[in-house]
Amino acid sequence: MAGRFDRLDALRGFALVWMAVFHFCFDLSTYRLLDANFYQDALWTTQRTLILSLFLLCAGAGQAVATSQGQSWARFGRRWAQVLGCALLVSLGSWFMFPRSYISFGVLHGMAVMLIVARVSAPLRGWLWPLGLLAVYLPQFIQHPFFDTRLTNWVGLVTHKPITEDYVPVLPWLGVMWWGMAATQWILSRRPGWMASPVVASGDNIGFANWWLRIRQGLSLLGRWSLTFYMVHQPVLIGGLLAWMTLTGRP
């Protein structure tokens, strides 16, 4: 597809695969097939932070690419509307599964807000680095009970983490998206070759090189359909798991 960079798509695809494995383990834990604490065990909480950071870095990079290629506000708006619509569906679906801890401001909700901020702030370029640092550390120094309600906790200046299955407030996570945008703007202006893989002659695609090329191409293709994959992977995983439990007589 014209205008795309396969290495960025592949990185996004890798994040999607990692996320799916993480969520499948979460599903196993939910149905008591895996003994794991996803809310306190550093093995899982650290993975969540790394996966989310990778997603937001890619989202910031995507906005850097889009603005550098002159993407119109109309096209941005269409994609943004898809993200917002999917965020509302996530809230609805999570309410049915976890009525006491449903997702009111998760990753898609956060991205819907942060994408607009990133789009508007793209001209700041190098200033995005210190602004990102400020966004990341501000919640460490400023918290107020005003931000502890469902209507206000999206800002991120909470005194305690809300009880919810997914929580991605604007602060500190906007800082990560800003860093992804700033880094990609620098790469596009100084090292654009880093964004796309070199063309490999078919005769050279043997052994490990061919194997690695196929993986990279698969991840790149997956990364182009990130929103679709995000929306369908959990219903597929949970549906498959429930079907297996039913067929094997698991309680």
Side-chain angles (χ1 to χ4, degrees), residues 30-190:
T30 299
Y31 291 102
R32 300 181 181 180
L33 298 172
L34 176 68
D35 184 16
N37 187 335
F38 280 76
Y39 303 100
Q40 295 180 330
D41 191 335
L43 172 65
W44 303 107
T45 58
T46 301
Q47 283 192 72
R48 178 189 180 274
T49 299
L50 292 175
I51 294 169
L52 179 55
S53 297
L54 189 54
F55 266 118
L56 293 177
L57 286 170
C58 289
Q63 284 305 297
V65 171
T67 53
S68 71
Q69 294 177 347
Q71 182 192 61
S72 68
W73 272 99
R75 185 173 179 181
F76 170 85
R78 288 193 294 271
R79 182 61 172 176
W80 179 85
Q82 292 175 352
V83 173
L84 179 62
C86 289
L88 297 177
L89 288 176
V90 167
S91 291
L92 181 62
S94 65
W95 183 81
F96 280 105
M97 289 194 65
F98 310 100
R100 295 184 178 180
S101 59
Y102 72 92
I103 301 170
S104 59
F105 204 82
V107 59
L108 292 183
H109 307 72
M111 287 187 67
V113 175
M114 289 184 274
L115 285 173
I116 294 177
V117 177
R119 173 85 179 196
V120 173
S121 60
L124 295 176
R125 301 187 70 82
W127 285 102
L128 296 176
W129 290 107
L131 284 174
L133 188 65
L134 177 63
V136 166
Y137 279 100
L138 193 61
Q140 303 294 323
F141 300 101
I142 300 178
Q143 305 97 29
H144 194 278
F146 172 78
F147 297 103
D148 289 338
T149 70
R150 281 196 182 271
L151 294 178
T152 56
N153 62 24
W154 61 272
V155 177
L157 303 179
V158 296
T159 61
H160 61 274
K161 185 179 182 295
I163 300 175
T164 179
E165 297 303 315
D166 190 26
Y167 178 55
V168 184
V170 173
L171 300 174
W173 294 107
L174 175 61
V176 180
M177 185 178 287
W178 267 338
W179 285 341
M181 174 176 275
T184 306
Q185 288 177 334
W186 184 91
I187 292 172
L188 290 173
S189 63
R190 293 174 175 80

Side-chain angles (χ1 to χ4, degrees), residues 190-203:
R190 293 174 175 80
R191 299 288 189 276
W194 291 359
M195 298 293 292
S197 302
V199 177
V200 181
S202 58

Side-chain angles (χ1 to χ4, degrees), residues 16 95 123 130 140 228 246:
L16 289 169
W95 183 81
Q140 303 294 323
T228 300
T246 300

